[in-house]
Amino acid sequence: MIADSIRNRIRDNGPISIASFMTEALFDPTEGFYATKDPIGAGSDFITAPEISQMFGELMGLWIMQSWDDMGRPERFNLVEMGPGRGTMMSDILRTGRALPDFLKAVHVYLIEASAALKSVQAKTLGANGVQISWVQRLDQVPAGPCLVIGNEFLDCLPIRQAIKVEGQWYERMVGLVDDQFAFVRGPQLNTDIEPIPDSLRDAADGALVELRPGDEQVLDELAAHFGTSPGRALFIDYGPADSEIGDTLQAIRQHEKVEPLDQPGTADLTARVDFGQLARNARALDLRVAGPVTQGEFLNGLGIEARAAALSQHAPEKRAQIARQLWRLTDSEEMGDLFKLIVLDHESLPAPPGFTAR
Ligand code: SAH
């Protein structure tokens, strides 16, 4: 069991970072939450926007086609998806792409996926559509050339660290053992000269907890390196605040229920809110242009989701109520509409991305 191996590691070497705990719980090659099974969908652990409705992937398809146009309609380009899950969104994007045969001729799809189980689901979902599909481990393995990157609910599952302030000093919050049970414990003091604590939160009061997202920084480094030589644009959709906030957002979801994050590692999805403010600042520091974040509701409405819902309902009147419900789940402020946001990172030589008003 993963719990036993983590417990032994802590017994031997002391507390581990939350990032290490997340990495083992999610991606242990034999028992990790993502490594072994397909957790996405109504009957599984959690559901995502592309699984709620085809409208989501279809609008992403329009966005991708417009971005390809913005890049000057290159005859060959790489469409990269990070964390494609069941492959549903990519399938909807490629179906939408049939409207533009030159687009479909030009595209080579690269999928970045850590889970062997989900890779085989993706191969089944996407195998029959005639487009070239390859799997790579990182963006730097995608060949040079014009490139569009997309990721829905990818950043939220990258490992995080947490820092807590005690008597004016920041310390790492770690996972240790108390009475042989996993528990959060205070780790070493952090050197604030080098640790990426958002500036706006550095003066927080004692007791404050701040999350650090090393996984996001790594993705930004890869994007900046890739876009340095290849024109490109990346779109990430995820849940989180528009600017850095104090607070513990690590959460575990098992079969659609919230559970304790340290309980039975490997059996629940572990995620934390994306800090869009810090993401944007870090991206700018790497000379990426930033658009957004905009809320999912604003974005989908701006791209015409209501018209798409009306067209689908007209085509299948018996599904009218179901489609209305899907529209509501994706866009309503009480559902995904406000909490989920979109951010674009690209190069300033491109026109402003569709669906965004550049800030
Ligand atoms: N985008 C899909 C799935 C979201 S779940 C959807 O919207 O339905 C998160 C996805 O990211 C899963 O496919 C998971 O296996 C993958 N993933 C998480 N961390 C990863 C990493 N470090 N490298 C590659 N894939 C990762």
Side-chain angles (χ1 to χ4, degrees):
M1 291 240 308
I2 300 182
D4 291 334
S5 73
I6 301 180
R7 202 172 275 121
N8 287 337
R9 212 176 121 194
I10 297 175
R11 267 195 210 114
D12 292 347
N13 301 314
I16 60 172
S17 71
I18 293 173
S20 307
F21 184 88
M22 285 179 82
T23 303
E24 298 215 13
L26 297 179
F27 295 109
D28 177 89
T30 51
E31 292 178 61
F33 178 75
Y34 280 110
T36 51
K37 60 176 185 159
D38 166 11
I40 308 163
S44 305
D45 292 288
F46 60 92
I47 188 150
T48 56
E51 302 293 334
I52 289 176
S53 166
Q54 69 186 75
M55 294 185 283
F56 187 83
E58 288 169 351
L59 292 180
M60 292 304 152
L62 291 182
W63 189 92
I64 296 275
M65 285 191 279
Q66 179 62 51
S67 292
W68 173 69
D69 190 72
D70 289 346
M71 290 195 299
R73 299 190 166 220
E75 280 177 18
R76 167 110 174 63
F77 83 101
N78 302 319
L79 174 56
V80 182
E81 185 171 359
M82 296 188 164
R86 309 190 44 118
T88 307
M89 181 167 82
M90 185 55 77
S91 162
D92 292 335
I93 290 172
L94 294 175
R95 190 181 61 256
T96 310
R98 287 189 205 147
L100 270 182
D102 286 350
F103 168 86
L104 275 195
K105 239 186 269 160
V107 67
H108 188 147
V109 172
Y110 288 87
L111 304 177
I112 300 183
E113 174 55 66
S115 154
L118 285 173
K119 271 185 199 165
S120 70
V121 178
Q122 291 153 18
K124 275 196 205 107
T125 312
L126 298 167
N129 61 29
V131 166
Q132 228 182 331
I133 313 253
S134 311
W135 281 263
V136 292
Q137 281 165 324
R138 288 188 318 273
L139 193 59
D140 63 11
Q141 293 163 344
V142 173
C147 180
L148 294 171
V149 179
I150 190 163
N152 184 58
E153 290 208 49
F154 170 73
L155 298 175
D156 66 355
C157 53
L158 298 181
I160 63 155
R161 295 167 54 203
Q162 290 185 335
I164 39 172
K165 199 168 204 186
V166 180
E167 293 171 2
Q169 307 293 339
W170 290 100
Y171 294 84
E172 179 120 18
R173 192 176 190 228
M174 300 181 89
V175 181
L177 290 172
V178 174
D179 295 335
D180 221 30
Q181 301 294 318
F182 295 122
F184 291 108
V185 297
R186 197 212 295 179
Q189 190 175 335
L190 296 174
N191 176 353
T192 46
D193 290 342
I194 52 171
E195 295 292 352
I197 297 173
D199 286 343
S200 59
L201 305 181
R202 282 178 177 242
D203 295 332
D206 275 354
L209 187 154
V210 169
E211 292 179 335
L212 311 177
R213 306 192 51 88
D216 296 8
E217 288 176 37
Q218 197 185 328
V219 169
L220 287 177
D221 285 342
E222 289 176 17
L223 286 173
H226 202 75
F227 293 172
T229 50
S230 305
R233 171 176 283 171
L235 170 65
F236 292 102
I237 308 115
D238 229 304
Y239 76 111
D243 208 349
S244 308
E245 285 180 358
I246 284 191
D248 175 9
T249 76
L250 182 65
Q251 69 167 21
I253 302 277
R254 183 188 303 133
Q255 290 165 359
H256 300 271
E257 301 282 342
K258 269 196 189 179
V259 295
E260 282 301 313
L262 302 185
D263 179 47
Q264 301 176 51
T267 65
D269 190 26
L270 290 175
T271 61
R273 292 188 178 203
V274 172
D275 176 350
F276 283 96
Q278 187 72 352
L279 188 70
R281 282 187 292 274
N282 287 340
R284 288 194 182 102
L286 292 168
D287 285 335
L288 293 165
R289 179 179 66 175
V290 177
V294 298
T295 67
Q296 180 167 307
E298 282 172 273
F299 181 81
L300 294 178
N301 285 324
L303 255 58
I305 194 168
E306 293 213 16
R308 183 68 192 131
L312 286 174
S313 298
Q314 205 170 15
H315 201 67
E318 73 286 359
K319 293 204 179 128
R320 185 174 295 273
Q322 189 191 342
I323 292 167
R325 192 176 146 73
Q326 293 169 346
L327 176 66
W328 169 76
R329 287 187 71 182
L330 291 176
T331 58
D332 192 85
S333 58
E334 299 290 304
E335 293 284 316
M336 300 178 86
D338 271 1
L339 181 57
F340 278 76
K341 299 188 178 67
L342 295 91
I343 193 165
V344 168
L345 313 167
D346 66 3
H347 194 265
E348 63 194 2
S349 61
L350 296 172
F356 286 79
T357 26
R359 277 198 199 157

